[in-house]
Amino acid sequence: MEEKTVFKDFLALIKIGIVNSNFITTFTGIWLALYFTGGGLLENLSTVIFTLIGSSLVIAGSCAINNYYDRDIDHLMERTKDRPTVTGKVTPIHVLYMGIIFTFIGTVFLLFTTITATIIGLVGFVTYVFLYTMWSKRRYTINTVIGSISGAVPPLIGWAAIDSSLHAVAWVLFLIMFIWQPPHFLAIAMKRSEEYRRAGIPMLPVVHGFAVTKRQMVVWVACLLPLPFYLFSLGIPFLILATLLNIGWLVIGMMGFKMQDDIKWAKYMFVYSLNYLTILFVAMVIVTAI
């Protein structure tokens, strides 16, 4: 039982949900790079493994450092009050060391792929740890946008590990991930607005209210509409699917202007955003595999 608890605490420290979701988008970047360059998965298996492990370790390390830094405010929020850094199950300095070591090892793994992939990985680390966690998160409502840069680099890392020239499609993947994050995280911020208020974090709904937040979320979702058309090379079925997903999300977003229950609407937006990303990136792999 104790071993299970220790493992559960470890997964919480590295934010396994974030690691897993970025694993999917990194693999999609790898897969599409192989597709567009005519490469095969098996003959590039070592590169694939180094990339997936390396990027996952850098992300896990970044999340551990985020946990270390935010331990003074995490006890004020329901969703973070049980983190090991809050409960005292883990010594904070050990968490910091773990974050640094994971990031270092992950960077070494990425060096076995390409310099471009390594640099992009480090850009993601610096953005998340320094520009988001340590600088903007507690100061500016734009923290969500700044954090979105780090969340958007995994598919670029995956692509660059195979093809350093970074095809236009790679940048479209980056844009999809970048634009997807503000409405996704603002939905969380709406649901947890009182917790963020207690913690003193200036999230958009805390500072400017739900009405402004909803308008911004809808604008971000609308910005996704043209992006599938830059992926026409993936085929008409994918173009139709991606467009329908975008329209569906926009429709739910527009419903927010009529619904009386803002928190219920935010839950709809959050759940849709999770399914949107999973379906979209898995579909990219499927349509290029058949």
Side-chain angles (χ1 to χ4, degrees):
M1 183 64 69
E2 186 176 344
E3 290 181 359
K4 289 183 178 179
T5 302
V6 171
F7 186 62
K8 183 179 179 181
D9 289 341
F10 169 73
L11 295 181
L13 287 173
I14 64 171
K15 300 186 181 181
I16 192 61
I18 292 177
V19 174
N20 287 340
S21 61
N22 284 311
F23 185 94
I24 295 172
T25 58
T26 303
F27 178 78
T28 301
I30 293 171
W31 181 269
L32 291 181
L34 290 171
Y35 174 77
F36 280 94
T37 59
L41 188 64
L42 293 180
E43 57 258 40
N44 291 280
L45 191 57
S46 61
T47 299
V48 172
I49 293 172
F50 279 125
T51 306
L52 293 176
I53 295 177
S55 61
S56 294
L57 285 172
V58 171
I59 293 165
S62 302
C63 289
I65 295 173
N66 172 270
N67 271 329
Y68 165 80
Y69 191 82
D70 281 347
R71 69 192 187 282
D72 63 321
I73 59 173
D74 279 345
H75 70 282
L76 298 170
M77 301 185 66
E78 188 68 28
R79 72 185 185 91
T80 57
K81 69 178 184 179
D82 293 324
R83 286 177 176 172
T85 43
V86 177
T87 60
K89 292 180 180 179
V90 182
T91 306
I93 194 65
H94 290 161
V95 177
L96 177 61
Y97 287 156
M98 183 181 75
I100 294 171
I101 291 169
F102 275 24
T103 302
F104 175 77
I105 296 174
T107 303
V108 171
F109 269 68
L110 289 178
L111 282 170
F112 282 99
T113 61
T114 66
I115 293 296
T116 305
T118 308
I119 291 173
I120 295 172
L122 289 174
V123 167
F125 170 80
V126 170
T127 303
Y128 185 70
V129 172
F130 295 101
L131 299 185
Y132 170 69
T133 301
M134 297 182 181
W135 176 58
S136 65
K137 182 177 181 178
R138 306 188 191 197
R139 291 180 176 88
Y140 310 110
T141 57
I142 202 173
N143 60 31
T144 308
V145 178
I146 293 171
S148 296
I149 297 172
S150 58
V153 298
L156 279 185
I157 295 173
W159 193 296
I162 301 297
D163 174 23
S164 294
S165 63
L166 291 175
H167 189 281
V169 170
W171 290 105
V172 176
L173 298 183
F174 172 85
L175 285 175
I176 290 173
M177 287 296 300
F178 177 77
I179 295 170
W180 170 85
Q181 286 173 95
H184 170 76
F185 286 108
L186 287 175
I188 297 175
M190 286 182 66
K191 293 195 300 175
R192 304 285 186 175
S193 59
E194 290 308 311
E195 295 178 33
Y196 281 114
R197 194 185 308 277
R198 286 198 301 272
I201 301 175
M203 299 300 288
L204 190 65
V206 173
V207 177
H208 296 293
F210 285 175
V212 171
T213 304
K214 288 194 290 186
R215 287 200 296 272
Q216 288 211 14
M217 289 168 70
V218 170
V219 169
W220 280 107
V221 172
C223 288
L224 288 168
L225 287 172
L227 295 184
F229 295 93
Y230 291 96
L231 299 175
F232 62 89
S233 53
L234 298 185
I236 298 299
F238 174 80
L239 178 60
I240 293 173
L241 173 64
T243 300
L244 289 175
L245 285 172
N246 286 339
I247 292 173
W249 200 1
L250 187 59
V251 168
I252 294 175
M254 298 298 289
M255 286 169 51
F257 298 123
K258 292 187 177 182
M259 285 183 65
Q260 299 298 316
D261 191 336
D262 290 330
I263 301 302
K264 186 176 182 179
W265 175 79
K267 289 179 180 177
Y268 288 157
M269 291 290 282
F270 174 72
V271 172
Y272 192 96
S273 68
L274 288 177
N275 287 287
Y276 171 93
L277 193 68
T278 303
I279 293 171
L280 194 68
F281 275 77
V282 170
M284 291 179 192
V285 175
I286 292 175
V287 297
T288 51
I290 55 178

